[in-house]
Amino acid sequence: MTARALFIAGAGTEIGKTYVTAALTRSLRAQGRAVRTVKPLASGVPPLSDPGFIESDTARLLHAQGLALDEEAVEACSPWRFSAPLSPDQAAVLEGRSLDLADLVGWCRDEIARTEGTLLIEGVGGLMSPVTGAATGLDWLRALGLPALLVSGSYLGAISHALTACETLRFHGVALRAVVVSESPDAPAPAATVAAAIARHAGAPVACLRRGEACPDDLAALI
Ligand SMILES: Nc1ncnc2c1ncn2[C@@H]1O[C@H](COP(=O)(O)OP(=O)(O)OP(=O)(O)O)[C@@H](O)[C@H]1O
Ligand SMILES: C[C@H](N)[C@H](N)CCCCCC(=O)O
Ligand SMILES: [Mg+2]
């Protein structure tokens, strides 16, 4: 069995990838679709025993899948976890560890092969944030050959960040399934206005997720 898989990339960090991925996961599950959601490489994740773990991407994604927060589920969702809230390569160094792109790609390929239904893979930081000492998130995405869902914010500057990421994906031949604008706090323009500006140049459908909103049906229908 081979999953229909999608890579959730970011125009930057802390802009809503996990929020959007969790919302999408809930929406697909509510429609009765088989979905598995993973964040293979995660930095800023304290140990499971730490009360702060509940705020981690791994915890949020497990919660969206209705899974228990136990060691087995955590390991299956995020096999490479680092405590420091830094670029993962730097966080790994602080723990005297390192990560090889081939291992990360191999793990994802195995998940794609054994998952039934839809597999959502959340990336790390922005599209070109480092994932190892040598490789970026774009290298990871290209090696997997998956289509991308690009998550953007709506803060001032987000339009250029999103379109720069769209151009980079296009240049490297990565299929862009859709862009999702996740409303940033205190943004000076409505998220819908930012989404419309991105839509004029993105060459892909653009959806908008207001603060606290669930996944819009038109976005779930694209996945
Ligand atoms: N549309 C939204 N509504 C409400 N809260 C949101 C929304 N988008 C993002 N957030 C909140 O903003 C914060 C950052 O979002 P999130 O963790 O999804 O970013 P990220 O892109 O996944 O970051 P990272 O690069 O660390 O993976 C979180 O607290 C999240 O819950
Ligand atoms: C800790 C943070 N929330 C993410 N997990 C990692 C973001 C790395 C960004 C690196 C960069 O592009 O400068
Ligand atoms: Mg995240």
Side-chain angles (χ1 to χ4, degrees), residues 19-160:
Y19 187 91
V20 168
T21 307
L24 195 50
T25 300
R26 288 193 180 92
S27 171
L28 295 178
R29 289 182 67 219
Q31 291 173 19
R33 285 178 53 183
V35 57
R36 174 163 153 69
T37 303
V38 294
K39 167 100 183 182
L41 172 59
S43 54
V45 182
L48 178 57
S49 56
D50 187 305
F53 180 84
I54 198 127
E55 304 289 333
S56 68
D57 285 12
T58 306
R60 290 184 197 279
L61 296 179
L62 289 175
H63 190 245
Q65 294 172 84
L67 297 171
L69 296 191
D70 58 34
E71 287 286 358
E72 194 183 342
V74 168
E75 190 64 24
C77 180
S78 304
W80 290 275
R81 303 179 303 281
F82 302 103
S83 290
L86 296 171
S87 183
D89 57 321
Q90 295 171 24
V93 167
L94 291 182
E95 297 181 22
R97 297 163 63 195
S98 65
L99 163 64
D100 197 47
L101 181 65
D103 293 336
L104 184 59
V105 169
W107 185 90
C108 292
R109 285 195 181 132
D110 287 348
E111 292 303 306
I112 293 167
R114 76 181 187 89
T115 300
E116 292 188 25
T118 300
L119 178 69
L120 303 179
I121 303 177
E122 185 189 335
V124 175
L127 179 62
M128 293 198 66
S129 295
V131 291
T132 72
T136 67
L138 176 64
D139 296 326
W140 177 18
L141 172 52
R142 290 180 69 202
L144 289 173
L146 296 177
L149 179 73
L150 181 73
V151 178
S152 161
S154 66
Y155 56 86
L156 189 62
I159 299 169
S160 179

Side-chain angles (χ1 to χ4, degrees), residues 168-207:
T168 304
L169 291 170
R170 196 181 349 256
F171 181 79
H172 289 281
V174 178
L176 178 58
R177 183 69 57 78
V179 179
V180 185
V181 176
S182 190
E183 186 179 15
S184 308
D186 305 321
T193 305
V194 173
I198 292 172
R200 283 197 281 278
H201 306 280
V206 181

